[in-house]
Amino acid sequence: MDFPLKIGLIGCGRISDIYLQNCKTFAELEVVACGSLDLAEAQAKAAQWGIPKACTPEEILADPAIDCILNLTIPAAHAPIELAALEAGKHVYSEKPLATNTRDGAKVLALARQKGLYVGNAPDTFLGGRWQTMRRLIDEGAIGKPTGVMAFVGTHGTERHHPNPDFYYAEGGGPLLDLGPYYLTAMVFLLGPISRVAGMGRKTFDKRLIENGPRNGEWMPVEVDTHSLSLLEFASGVIGSMTMSFDIWDSETPRFEIYGEDGTICIPDPDPVYGANRFEGEVWIRTRETSRWSHQPRPTGRDSWAVADNHHGYNDNFRGLGLLDMAYAIRDGRPARASGEMAQHVLDVMEAIDRAPAMGVYQEIGSSCALPEMLPPNFPHPEKAVVK
């Protein structure tokens, strides 16, 4: 495969802007078409970002010049678009989750294997400077052998800032499926696959009030649990806990911490919504030899290509970095880091957490995945990258 990878975007909602901004940063990627069920929306997005073609999703899937589909539809449409892309002979990279259930996720991965195509999946935040720094510290033995992990994110939902938040509260939504992928993917990247889980959940409100935009004052139904607690056991023996909630007005607890035999690594998340939904941020460490927390060096600055402390410089919001890595993986014939297999494992874990309260027993996780490699310090060769 030659660069640039020709990409067709399906799904022109709010999240597409940051993807399109970042794709224009990488010479290896070229978005050549925008597709949406709302043609006017696709045309507006194409005009905004200088994309030559706006059309229906069906036209994008039928276009032989397109190599890969960037699937930014709502979660319920992820698997259908992925399957259609693969049937059309195209690679596909999707927003999280891979699908709304593991049955559909398995169909996607099976078809990709059959067709010899790649499936990539967000979140790719674990490729950012913050998470890569944590992985380096663990690999270097800075806190000794890891023993435990804890993640907490509490917010009072999306209806206060999203104009159309319905899908967050419909089947396939909720804090576990919306926020969980960031934290669980980070855990798997740092500590390896998860072997069993337990969980509790509750739906606190039967309906929620939209508090912004043209639908301000409209009530919407709630179909899913909005407060989730889980216990996690990793194949390595590490144990952990995770809280994901749309029912918390405020908290001083937001943290992502990894405990080791000789110390602790901590991400202090002052913003409980976006703590793991970022590529950059502070990393603290304290060991048996130190009396206080210390900040770890890492690259700084928006859109930085800098290399510091033998580490790459992806900071701020670099959504699409996983797509860039997948483009190189396709060219080089290696596994992608933000892979469909890891996304399916994370989905398997979330599905098990969700069913655990009704089952009342630990849920064994039948899937696994390879531990993604760290990005090389100069990925993907900054001297060759240009802004188009």
Side-chain angles (χ1 to χ4, degrees), residues 33-186:
C34 285
S36 174
L37 295 175
D38 182 345
L39 185 57
E41 180 182 55
Q43 290 169 337
K45 194 67 65 173
Q48 178 184 355
W49 292 101
I51 296 166
K53 182 178 179 181
C55 57
T56 66
E58 291 76 16
E59 289 175 286
I60 285 184
L61 292 168
D63 189 340
I66 291 175
D67 304 310
C68 179
I69 300 299
L70 176 56
N71 179 19
L72 303 183
T73 57
I74 63 172
H78 285 182
I81 294 295
E82 289 157 0
L83 291 168
L86 295 168
E87 288 287 4
K90 303 181 190 307
H91 309 287
V92 60
Y93 185 94
S94 294
E95 249 303 316
K96 49 80 183 171
L98 176 67
T100 56
N101 60 75
T102 52
R103 182 181 63 256
D104 288 344
K107 291 178 182 177
V108 170
L109 296 183
L111 184 59
R113 287 191 293 269
Q114 177 188 330
K115 298 280 189 177
L117 295 167
Y118 277 70
V119 173
N121 210 87
D124 54 1
T125 42
F126 71 92
L127 299 175
R130 160 185 269 193
W131 304 97
Q132 297 279 310
T133 296
M134 290 187 76
R135 171 69 176 270
R136 175 178 59 79
L137 290 169
I138 292 169
D139 288 354
E140 290 175 353
I143 59 169
K145 183 179 179 181
T147 59
V149 61
M150 185 277 290
F152 178 103
V153 57
T155 175
H156 211 270
T158 59
E159 61 269 29
R160 309 190 84 189
H161 62 84
H162 198 293
N164 295 294
D166 311 67
F167 68 90
Y168 287 101
Y169 299 99
E171 290 297 330
L176 181 59
L177 277 177
D178 179 48
L179 300 170
Y182 294 106
Y183 289 84
L184 290 168
T185 300

Side-chain angles (χ1 to χ4, degrees), residues 85-375:
L86 295 168
E87 288 287 4
K90 303 181 190 307
H91 309 287
V92 60
Y93 185 94
S94 294
E95 249 303 316
K96 49 80 183 171
L98 176 67
T100 56
N101 60 75
T102 52
R103 182 181 63 256
D104 288 344
K107 291 178 182 177
V108 170
L109 296 183
L111 184 59
R113 287 191 293 269
Q114 177 188 330
K115 298 280 189 177
L117 295 167
Y118 277 70
V119 173
N121 210 87
D124 54 1
T125 42
F126 71 92
L127 299 175
R130 160 185 269 193
W131 304 97
Q132 297 279 310
T133 296
M134 290 187 76
R135 171 69 176 270
R136 175 178 59 79
L137 290 169
I138 292 169
D139 288 354
E140 290 175 353
I143 59 169
K145 183 179 179 181
T147 59
V149 61
M150 185 277 290
F152 178 103
V153 57
T155 175
H156 211 270
T158 59
E159 61 269 29
R160 309 190 84 189
H161 62 84
H162 198 293
N164 295 294
D166 311 67
F167 68 90
Y168 287 101
Y169 299 99
E171 290 297 330
L176 181 59
L177 277 177
D178 179 48
L179 300 170
Y182 294 106
Y183 289 84
L184 290 168
T185 300
M187 289 181 189
V188 171
F189 169 64
L190 297 169
L191 300 168
I194 296 166
S195 58
R196 67 172 181 159
V197 301
M200 298 183 71
R202 62 171 288 165
K203 181 177 70 173
T204 302
F205 307 101
D206 291 326
K207 58 183 181 179
R208 314 266 297 216
L209 184 67
I210 299 174
E211 300 181 45
N212 77 102
R215 299 174 62 196
N216 191 355
E218 179 182 331
W219 291 91
M220 58 183 172
V222 178
E223 300 174 354
V224 295
D225 286 345
T226 51
H227 190 83
S228 170
L229 308 176
S230 56
L231 298 176
L232 313 165
E233 183 176 10
F234 292 75
S236 64
V238 172
I239 59 174
S241 65
M242 185 175 76
T243 298
M244 301 284 117
S245 182
F246 284 166
D247 294 341
I248 296 175
W249 285 108
D250 199 2
S251 175
E252 296 297 316
T253 306
R255 289 287 190 274
F256 183 103
E257 295 183 335
I258 293 182
Y259 313 117
E261 293 177 345
D262 299 319
T264 298
I265 303 172
C266 175
I267 287 180
D269 283 334
D271 185 334
V273 181
Y274 300 110
N277 190 7
R278 300 190 307 187
F279 290 76
E280 94 293 358
E282 295 181 345
V283 178
W284 296 356
I285 185 171
R286 182 171 179 178
T287 69
R288 64 165 70 234
E289 285 81 22
T290 60
S291 59
R292 62 183 62 189
W293 293 101
S294 64
H295 292 225
Q296 289 302 294
R298 64 204 171 286
T300 59
R302 182 178 178 85
D303 299 356
S304 170
W305 289 98
V307 175
D309 196 30
N310 193 32
H311 194 59
H312 73 80
Y314 289 101
N315 290 286
D316 203 58
N317 193 344
F318 252 104
R319 287 176 188 261
L321 191 55
L323 175 60
L324 176 64
D325 175 71
M326 190 177 84
Y328 273 91
I330 293 167
R331 189 197 69 174
D332 300 338
R334 62 164 173 83
R337 289 177 169 86
S339 68
E341 288 75 16
M342 182 164 66
Q344 174 74 345
H345 177 62
V346 167
L347 180 58
D348 193 5
V349 170
M350 293 189 295
E351 205 172 68
I353 292 170
D354 195 43
R355 68 173 179 263
M359 302 291 289
V361 294
Y362 277 96
Q363 302 295 300
E364 302 292 330
I365 307 301
S367 65
S368 187
C369 65
L371 192 68
E373 294 183 357
M374 289 183 61
L375 283 179

